Amino acid sequence: MAEVQVNKTKLSRYTSININKMKKRLWLLFVISLTCILAMLFLGPYVYLLLTSLKPSAEAVSSPPTLWPSKFSFENYRNMFDYLPVGKYFANSLITAITSTFISVLLGSMAAYGISRFTSVTGKYFLLFTLVIRMVPMISIAIPMYMIIKNMGLIDTHLALVLVYTSVNVPFAIWLMIGFFDSIPKEFDEAARIDGCSWLGSFIRVIIPVSLPGLATTAIFTFMLAWNDFLFALLITSTNAKTATVGISEFLTAYNLDLGPMTAAAVSFSLPVMIFSLFLQRYIVSGMTLGAVKE
């Protein structure tokens, strides 16, 4: 009887273990299925955009629309340069986005470093002030920004866009970078100071190399904010400094919709950010968790 009881106990434990394993597998299957569904919902519009850009021009506006092109064609990518000066618009976007990103990350990181290392009541109020500025809706400051740029005589210039994007992105960069700097032990600064570095020298030679993941994360987000902007680019540019976001919208007019070239331009517009993110992926992933824990 004792042997039978032991066998029943072993069978019960074995069954319980199998049930737990089955529950874990079912849960994993559910999570994977849900992730795939969400990914399809997220990527679906972009996949349709990409496939439409590869259709012949006549097929891109056919009714009813088709998902898969009857034949793959790069006709729309050639035509988009004939309809509008897309190359010029893309160059304007790159110039303004890269310049404003560099300035925003430089000023934001220096301000965040100062607030992180020299804690004071003034610094705390300044940090709160930057947060309040960042929370203000962009549409509410669009007209004042336009009037300031107009009075400065900078309408339709790259400098105007750089100034606007920098003013918008610097508070965002400060709030991102201060978490990264707070996670770096202050002993690093003290060691650099003992070796003869000034505060600026320790910041450039020691802190910046350590905080590269944070800088990469901040750079990609500030670049995306400047690259994707439509509101300010529409208000303060007309011809010379017009960016790609405004240029792409010109494929839609009151009389016509050039859907094929428009989708080709939209796909081309998305590539720089995707390539930028791909190259900085390692830094972005580590940077997202670098400032999560304070030493």
Side-chain angles (χ1 to χ4, degrees), residues 18-267:
N18 284 340
I19 291 175
N20 290 334
K21 287 183 177 179
M22 184 63 68
K23 288 182 178 178
K24 290 180 179 179
R25 289 175 180 175
L26 289 175
W27 175 251
L28 182 61
L29 180 62
F30 171 75
V31 171
I32 293 175
S33 301
L34 182 61
T35 303
C36 291
I37 292 173
L38 293 176
M40 291 175 62
L41 291 175
F42 181 77
L43 293 175
Y46 187 80
V47 172
Y48 181 75
L49 179 75
L50 177 61
L51 292 176
T52 302
S53 69
L54 295 173
K55 296 176 182 178
S57 297
E59 188 176 344
V61 293
S62 63
S63 182
T66 57
L67 176 62
W68 198 261
S70 59
K71 67 174 182 178
F72 289 95
S73 172
F74 291 95
E75 177 184 352
N76 294 319
Y77 289 89
R78 293 191 298 267
N79 291 341
M80 70 177 182
F81 293 100
D82 297 332
Y83 283 81
L84 294 170
V86 176
K88 178 183 177 181
Y89 298 157
F90 274 63
N92 291 337
S93 291
L94 281 174
I95 292 171
T96 54
I98 292 176
T99 306
S100 63
T101 297
F102 175 77
I103 298 174
S104 299
V105 173
L106 177 64
L107 297 180
S109 60
M110 294 178 67
Y113 177 73
I115 296 172
S116 175
R117 291 300 186 261
F118 305 100
T119 305
S120 64
V121 177
T122 305
K124 292 180 180 178
Y125 279 115
F126 176 76
L127 191 60
L128 180 62
F129 179 68
T130 59
L131 177 62
V132 172
I133 292 176
R134 193 64 188 88
M135 293 174 63
V136 174
M138 294 298 101
I139 188 66
S140 64
I141 63 173
I143 301 303
M145 281 283 194
Y146 171 80
M147 296 304 299
I148 293 172
I149 295 299
K150 182 180 179 181
N151 293 333
M152 294 174 64
L154 297 177
I155 291 294
D156 199 23
T157 62
H158 296 105
L159 180 59
L161 288 177
V162 169
L163 291 175
V164 171
Y165 294 156
T166 301
S167 63
V168 171
N169 283 332
V170 165
F172 180 72
I174 292 174
W175 270 93
L176 277 181
M177 290 304 303
I178 196 168
F180 301 133
F181 290 140
D182 283 344
S183 65
I184 300 175
K186 294 184 179 180
E187 286 77 8
F188 285 23
D189 307 76
E190 295 172 359
R193 294 281 292 168
I194 292 173
D195 289 338
C197 284
S198 62
W199 283 111
L200 181 60
S202 63
F203 172 70
I204 295 174
R205 297 181 181 181
V206 179
I207 303 301
I208 290 296
V210 175
S211 60
L212 280 179
L215 290 171
T217 304
T218 305
I220 188 65
F221 280 110
T222 52
F223 180 84
M224 289 176 62
L225 288 172
W227 181 258
N228 294 327
D229 172 69
F230 178 81
L231 176 62
F232 292 114
L234 179 65
L235 284 176
I236 63 180
T237 65
S238 56
T239 305
N240 296 328
K242 184 180 294 184
T243 60
T245 51
V246 180
I248 291 174
S249 67
E250 293 183 352
F251 285 104
L252 173 61
T253 64
Y255 306 100
N256 190 25
L257 170 60
D258 299 316
L259 186 60
M262 186 178 188
T263 55
V267 171

Side-chain angles (χ1 to χ4, degrees), residues 6-23:
V6 170
N7 291 334
K8 287 184 177 180
T9 303
K10 290 183 178 179
L11 180 62
S12 176
R13 290 179 180 176
Y14 181 76
T15 304
S16 177
I17 292 173
N18 284 340
I19 291 175
N20 290 334
K21 287 183 177 179
M22 184 63 68
K23 288 182 178 178

Side-chain angles (χ1 to χ4, degrees), residues 266-289:
V267 171
S268 302
F269 178 74
S270 66
L271 290 179
V273 174
M274 295 172 65
I275 295 172
F276 191 32
S277 303
L278 182 63
F279 279 107
L280 296 180
Q281 181 181 8
R282 178 168 60 91
Y283 293 105
I284 294 172
V285 173
S286 58
M288 292 299 290
T289 57

